[in-house]
């Protein structure tokens, strides 16, 4: 007898519907799996056989052929254990096949018949909802995660016997219910607070602008000036995730298998801080079956690169395209996948090899040639893509001991949210834009028009600093954000002048 069970496979952060056709017929006993299965899928033959026997079912001692369709799509991972098990039970007439066409099945099966959670359930649930699938049958550990998607009936079970009972008597089971907005509405940021930062008014202002406009930022200063301390406080002043953004971020973390709590959305903006020894694939993603890297895991959040000049230059060059396009495309022989990568880059570095060039307390011991080679690790095109370039100085002893605590993160976050709200009103006809940093040339011409004074300021900065056209566009974007924070509709000379200040280390050596 032939049975067909529906499942799904992950491609990037999206899902493709996969059919598991199971044929039980006469012949020598054995199981054959076809349809480009990987090693984990091939091994499911032994897991499923033991699981069905230990769960109390009769394993058919006949020839079993399992075809995973479409045949040209590579199938990977243990999530096909459950659909294969259900297909064998249906083909051997041990469970009813009436519901098999309406539901998607996925999950790993243990040898005792219990079901184990798998990665990537949320994007599969989202795809199922778009395809009009009635519901999803998953391990109990994945049920809350899948139920986040509205309009989809999700059933979670912990054992094969419970799945069989559901197929035979579906009216005795209820789908899982979750409060989809609870995690977002109750979320309170518990990270580092800006009040711990003493002084550094210029750097704090840059953080606020970066948060309000989604601008990339680099801090340059000697050791002990507070660069890392400042960067770690950026997530605390970012506006909260919307439901759509949280769903998008959670999908990425689900594919990567990083969901700490399978029953909730990712409620805080991601903060990723890879070590400077990280490779290019670990940043952008990769592997034989591409998986998201650090820049995609930082989607809608912050990617912090400490000691930027310690990263290999070829690794940093991987960032150029994602910084410009907001996504990364990974091509392999059999497939090409794209991962979203709209993140705010925050970097820090010393001004020279010894770290004390320009320091007011300790003299620099580096030669001009050494400083030139040091900054040569960062290419001009990469620096052009960093909107805010801020020099940070060390505090004097009396400032460390006597300076009062700074402003808390909460009021700063309110100003940032107000600035972003102004931008969202402006972007109401441009739904693809989430912040000012994502504006393109046509948007700049529409919303960043300059008067004569502002234009003269910008032209003078371009000539004096040798800025590229891309860098001048970055100045306009930052100026637009500064105007939003000030509540101004039109760009003024003071907005442009302040934005120019953040390009003054473009040619630092």
């Amino acid at each position: 007898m032939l049975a067909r069970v529906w499942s799904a496979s992950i491609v990037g952060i999206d899902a493709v519907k996969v059919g598991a056709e199971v044929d039980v017929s006469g012949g020598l006993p054995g199981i054959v799996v076809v349809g480009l299965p990987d090693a984990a899928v091939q091994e499911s033959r032994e897991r499923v056989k033991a699981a069905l026997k230990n769960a109390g079912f009769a394993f058919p001692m006949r020839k079993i052929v399992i075809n995973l369709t479409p045949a040209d799509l590579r199938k990977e991972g243990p999530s096909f254990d459950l659909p294969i098990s259900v297909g064998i039970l249906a083909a051997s007439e041990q469970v009813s096949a009436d519901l098999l066409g309406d539901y998607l099945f996925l999950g790993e099966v243990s040898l005792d018949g219990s079901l184990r959670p798998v990665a990537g359930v949320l994007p599969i649930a989202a795809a199922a909802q778009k395809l009009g699938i009635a519901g999803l049958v998953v391990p109990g550990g994945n049920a809350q995660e899948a139920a986040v998607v509205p309009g989809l009936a999700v059933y979670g079970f912990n054992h094969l016997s419970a799945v069989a009972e559901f197929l035979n008597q579906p009216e005795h089971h209820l789908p899982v219910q979750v409060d989809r907005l609870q995690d977002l509405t109750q979320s309170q940021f518990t990270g580092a607070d800006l009040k711990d930062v003493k002084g550094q008014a210029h750097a704090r202002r840059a953080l606020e602008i970066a948060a309000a406009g989604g601008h990339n930022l680099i801090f340059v200063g000697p050791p002990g000036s507070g660069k890392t301390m400042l960067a770690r406080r950026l997530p605390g002043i970012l506006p909260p995730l919307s439901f759509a953004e949280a769903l998008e971020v959670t999908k990425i973390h689900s594919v990567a298998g990083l969901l700490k709590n399978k029953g909730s959305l990712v409620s805080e903006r991601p903060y990723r801080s890879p070590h400077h020894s990280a490779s290019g694939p670990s940043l952008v993603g990769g592997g034989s079956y591409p998986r998201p890297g650090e820049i995609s895991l930082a989607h809608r959040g912050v990617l912090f690169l400490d000691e930027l000049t310690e990263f290999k230059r070829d690794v940093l060059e991987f960032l150029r395209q994602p910084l410009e396009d907001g996504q990364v495309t990974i091509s392999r022989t059999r497939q090409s996948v794209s991962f979203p990568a709209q993140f705010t880059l925050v970097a820090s570095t010393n001004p020279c090899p010894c770290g004390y060039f320009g320091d007011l307390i300790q003299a620099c011991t580096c030669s001009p040639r050494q400083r030139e080679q040091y900054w040569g690790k960062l290419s001009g095109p990469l620096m052009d893509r960093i909107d805010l370039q801020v020099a940070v100085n060390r505090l004097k002893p009396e400032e460390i001991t006597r300076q009062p605590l700074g402003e808390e993160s909460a009021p700063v976050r309110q100003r940032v949210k107000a600035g972003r709200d102004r931008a969202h009103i402006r972007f109401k006809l441009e739904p693809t834009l989430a912040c000012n940093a994502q504006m393109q040339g046509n948007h700049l011409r529409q919303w960043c028009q300059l008067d004569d004074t502002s234009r003269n300021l910008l032209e003078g900065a371009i000539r004096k600093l040798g800025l590229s056209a891309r860098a001048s566009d970055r100045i306009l974007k930052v100026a637009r954000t500064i105007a939003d924070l000030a509540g101004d509709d039109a760009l003024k000379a003071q907005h442009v002048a302040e934005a120019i200040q953040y390009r003054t280390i473009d040619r630092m050596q």
Side-chain angles (χ1 to χ4, degrees):
M1 181 177 176
L2 175 68
R4 179 182 286 109
V5 182
W6 293 110
S7 187
S9 181
I10 297 294
V11 179
I13 64 165
D14 298 315
V16 177
K17 190 177 180 182
V18 172
E21 299 175 338
V22 180
D23 178 64
V24 177
S25 60
L28 292 176
I31 305 177
V32 178
V33 181
V34 297
L36 284 182
D38 72 346
V41 180
Q42 289 283 9
E43 292 171 354
S44 68
R45 296 176 299 179
E46 304 304 324
R47 287 195 298 272
V48 168
K49 184 176 181 179
L52 291 177
K53 289 182 177 180
N54 293 327
F57 297 101
F59 189 83
M61 298 305 294
R62 307 178 70 184
K63 183 178 180 180
I64 301 174
V65 179
I66 301 167
N67 179 36
L68 302 177
T69 61
D72 60 345
L73 176 69
R74 186 74 173 175
K75 321 302 187 305
E76 61 168 326
S79 61
F80 294 102
D81 288 2
L82 180 57
I84 289 174
S85 301
V86 170
I88 292 174
L89 292 175
S92 59
E93 300 182 343
Q94 298 183 68
V95 298
S96 171
D98 294 342
L99 299 181
L100 298 187
D102 299 326
Y103 289 83
L104 251 62
F105 297 78
L106 64 151
E108 178 182 349
V109 176
S110 296
L111 298 185
D112 62 353
S114 60
L115 303 183
R116 296 170 57 85
V118 293
V121 169
L122 182 59
I124 290 176
Q129 189 268 339
K130 291 181 181 179
L131 291 172
I133 301 296
L136 211 63
V137 177
V138 297
N142 289 125
Q144 296 285 326
E145 176 187 348
V148 167
V149 178
L152 186 70
V154 176
Y155 296 86
F157 302 104
N158 295 318
H159 201 272
L160 274 176
S161 58
V163 177
E165 291 175 5
F166 167 73
L167 292 173
N168 291 326
Q169 296 179 315
E171 65 277 4
H172 294 168
H173 298 81
L174 296 175
V176 175
Q177 301 292 332
V178 298
D179 186 346
R180 297 178 177 88
L181 297 179
Q182 180 180 6
D183 295 319
L184 295 179
T185 56
Q186 295 182 356
S187 175
Q188 294 183 348
F189 185 79
T190 57
D193 198 290
L194 263 179
K195 69 179 181 181
D196 301 325
V197 179
K198 294 184 177 182
Q200 307 293 11
H202 185 56
R204 292 171 60 98
R205 171 66 171 171
L207 273 181
E208 184 174 338
I209 295 171
H215 301 290
N216 302 319
L217 167 67
I218 184 171
F219 289 122
V220 181
S225 57
K227 304 184 295 296
T228 302
M229 183 180 186
L230 285 160
R232 288 176 176 169
R233 279 148 182 78
L234 178 57
I237 61 175
L238 290 171
L241 289 167
S242 66
F243 177 76
E245 289 176 330
L247 190 62
E248 193 174 12
V249 172
T250 308
K251 284 173 61 177
I252 299 173
H253 284 70
S254 175
V255 170
L258 296 179
L259 285 184
K260 296 180 180 178
N261 185 350
K262 296 287 185 180
S264 64
L265 291 169
V266 175
S267 57
E268 294 183 356
R269 292 188 179 270
Y271 177 84
R272 307 293 297 184
S273 181
H275 191 260
H276 59 73
S277 62
S279 64
S282 70
L283 280 182
V284 301
S288 301
Y289 307 105
R291 286 289 181 263
E294 291 290 338
I295 62 175
S296 293
L297 294 173
H299 182 61
R300 303 294 185 190
V302 176
L303 177 69
F304 176 46
L305 301 183
D306 200 6
E307 303 297 342
L308 185 66
T309 50
E310 297 300 322
F311 284 80
K312 295 180 180 179
R313 176 164 177 153
D314 61 334
V315 172
L316 293 178
E317 293 305 299
F318 280 113
L319 295 174
R320 287 167 55 177
Q321 182 250 339
L323 285 173
E324 197 71 24
D325 300 337
Q327 67 175 11
V328 58
T329 301
I330 301 172
S331 297
R332 293 292 181 265
T333 303
R334 293 185 178 274
Q335 63 180 345
S336 178
V337 299
S338 294
F339 296 112
Q342 293 182 355
F343 58 91
T344 299
L345 173 65
V346 181
S348 70
T349 185
N350 295 330
C352 64
C354 79
Y356 295 102
F357 179 66
D359 187 37
L360 302 177
I361 300 175
Q362 186 170 337
C364 174
T365 59
C366 302
S367 67
R369 176 62 177 167
Q370 287 176 315
R371 290 195 294 270
E372 182 180 353
Q373 291 177 339
Y374 183 78
W375 281 95
K377 299 177 183 179
L378 305 179
S379 67
L382 177 63
M383 293 299 290
D384 277 349
R385 289 169 169 81
I386 299 179
D387 306 359
L388 303 166
Q389 304 170 358
V390 183
V392 183
N393 295 318
R394 286 195 292 173
L395 296 179
K396 297 177 181 179
E398 58 272 19
E399 292 176 320
I400 296 176
T401 58
R402 302 177 186 178
Q403 189 91 9
L405 294 177
E407 184 181 19
E408 294 183 356
S409 293
V412 180
R413 189 187 307 117
Q414 292 300 320
R415 294 197 297 269
V416 167
K417 186 177 184 304
R420 287 219 180 189
D421 287 345
R422 290 183 63 86
H424 290 160
I425 293 173
R426 188 166 58 248
F427 298 154
K428 59 184 178 181
L429 298 179
E430 298 283 351
T432 59
L433 295 180
C435 55
N436 290 331
Q438 297 174 8
M439 292 191 296
Q440 302 299 319
N442 59 319
H443 306 130
L444 296 179
R445 290 188 294 271
Q446 181 179 359
W447 296 315
C448 299
Q449 297 182 6
L450 301 176
D451 56 25
D452 291 339
T453 304
S454 301
R455 188 176 296 105
N456 292 335
L457 274 172
L458 181 57
E459 291 172 355
I462 294 173
R463 282 192 295 268
K464 185 174 181 179
L465 298 175
L467 301 178
S468 66
R470 180 185 287 113
S472 66
D473 285 347
R474 301 279 174 175
I475 289 176
L476 291 177
K477 295 177 184 179
V478 173
R480 179 67 266 170
T481 299
I482 294 171
D484 288 341
L485 287 171
D488 294 328
D489 293 326
L491 290 188
K492 300 178 182 178
Q494 61 263 34
H495 305 146
V496 177
E498 184 178 358
I500 291 172
Q501 291 182 61
Y502 301 114
R503 303 299 307 191
T504 54
I505 60 173
D506 261 306
R507 295 296 178 264
M508 189 173 182
Q509 294 181 358

